[in-house]
Amino acid sequence: EADIYQTPRYLVIGTGKKITLECSQTMGHDKMYWYQQDPGMELHLIHYSYGVNSTEKGDLSSESTVSRIRTEHFPLTLESARPSHTSQYLCASRPAANTEAFFGQGTRLTVV
Amino acid sequence: GENVEQHPSTLSVQEGDSAVIKCTYSDSASNYFPWYKQELGKGPQLIIDIRSNVGEKKDQRIAVTLNKTAKHFSLHITETQPEDSAVYFCAARSGGGSQGNLIFGKGTKLSVKP
């Protein structure tokens, strides 16, 4: 079992609210990722980080922001949630380039 | 950049039959190819991976083959069981060097009928 945790698992919030999805890993991995998974299953990379103070936008444009102040922590923030943000958000980490990614359980976000 | 195509998007087999999922990639510099299984309500988990210096790898009922010339790789599951039912993702590590993100296929929903 991988040591990567996401909280909350499920979240229902109202439009316009600010939310932060938490992701923590205790494996000391430098590389961390956020994916948005749509109902059709496809994984879309929205943010990644190669280490502390490193953050990059992924392939899918997202209105969310991320920060990487500590190696183990990679939170994702939505300043003003909208119904279009309703989705499953998956966090992952990797120790190096040619290695597997370990995924968290995901956060299922519903914006009403 | 890297582009990964995965087929089929859905696959239904009878218990005990074999299942094959195929992926193609575009970046000839890609050198790492993992396969993930995602069960309902969970995050994807690695089931097998292969690096570009190997043509085939097997782990019990699961095997992966890699054809670098054709730039395609496949997942083979033999003697399928109902608990194999899940969504399967292939991925390729884009580019060379020490970085490179994993680029995922769109997923295959496998259903194994008892």
Side-chain angles (χ1 to χ4, degrees):
Chain A
E1 194 100 1
D3 294 326
I4 179 164
Y5 307 100
Q6 287 186 244
T7 56
R9 286 291 312 278
Y10 304 93
L11 180 62
V12 180
I13 62 168
T15 298
K17 298 290 186 185
K18 176 181 178 179
I19 56 160
T20 295
L21 308 185
E22 302 288 348
C23 177
S24 296
Q25 49 96 5
T26 58
M27 298 172 282
H29 292 170
D30 284 329
K31 303 181 194 310
M32 294 190 75
Y33 306 84
W34 275 103
Y35 291 88
Q36 187 173 337
Q37 186 170 34
D38 58 27
M41 307 179 299
E42 189 171 357
L43 292 162
H44 299 284
L45 181 65
I46 52 175
H47 296 284
Y48 61 97
S49 167
Y50 287 156
V52 171
N53 294 325
S54 150
T55 60
E56 302 285 346
K57 288 189 179 295
D59 306 319
L60 180 69
S61 174
S62 173
E63 293 164 340
S64 58
T65 59
V66 292
S67 63
R68 190 86 184 277
I69 299 170
R70 303 197 317 264
T71 298
E72 61 270 23
H73 198 210
F74 191 39
L76 180 145
T77 298
L78 277 166
E79 291 292 333
S80 180
R82 293 208 298 271
S84 59
H85 296 139
T86 294
S87 190
Q88 162 102 314
Y89 292 85
L90 287 162
C91 179
S93 72
R94 298 165 74 196
N98 278 357
T99 58
E100 68 176 287
F102 295 89
F103 282 85
Q105 295 268 50
T107 294
R108 183 161 295 281
L109 173 66
T110 302
V111 183
V112 297
Chain B
E2 177 66 278
N3 182 48
V4 176
E5 300 282 341
Q6 182 172 347
H7 299 281
S9 56
T10 59
L11 179 59
S12 182
V13 300
Q14 211 58 40
E15 182 177 0
D17 288 349
S18 295
V20 180
I21 303 171
K22 297 182 179 182
C23 288
T24 60
Y25 62 99
S26 59
D27 186 352
S28 56
S30 290
N31 54 12
Y32 175 65
F33 308 91
W35 285 89
Y36 288 84
K37 175 183 181 182
Q38 185 177 22
E39 296 176 331
L40 199 62
K42 297 184 178 180
Q45 285 201 303
L46 181 81
I47 55 171
I48 195 167
D49 57 10
I50 192 168
R51 288 176 171 76
S52 57
N53 58 347
V54 175
E56 184 174 358
K57 186 175 178 181
K58 191 173 181 181
D59 182 4
Q60 299 182 332
R61 297 186 296 109
I62 295 172
V64 57
T65 58
L66 171 64
N67 183 327
K68 285 193 298 181
T69 303
K71 289 188 281 189
H72 67 70
F73 56 113
S74 300
L75 177 72
H76 304 253
I77 306 174
T78 58
E79 300 170 32
T80 53
Q81 299 165 5
E83 51 264 41
D84 293 330
S85 296
V87 177
Y88 291 81
F89 292 95
C90 64
R93 183 210 154 201
S94 65
S98 62
Q99 305 293 8
N101 295 325
L102 286 177
I103 307 300
F104 286 87
K106 293 186 177 183
T108 296
K109 185 174 182 180
L110 173 65
S111 300
V112 180
K113 299 185 186 308

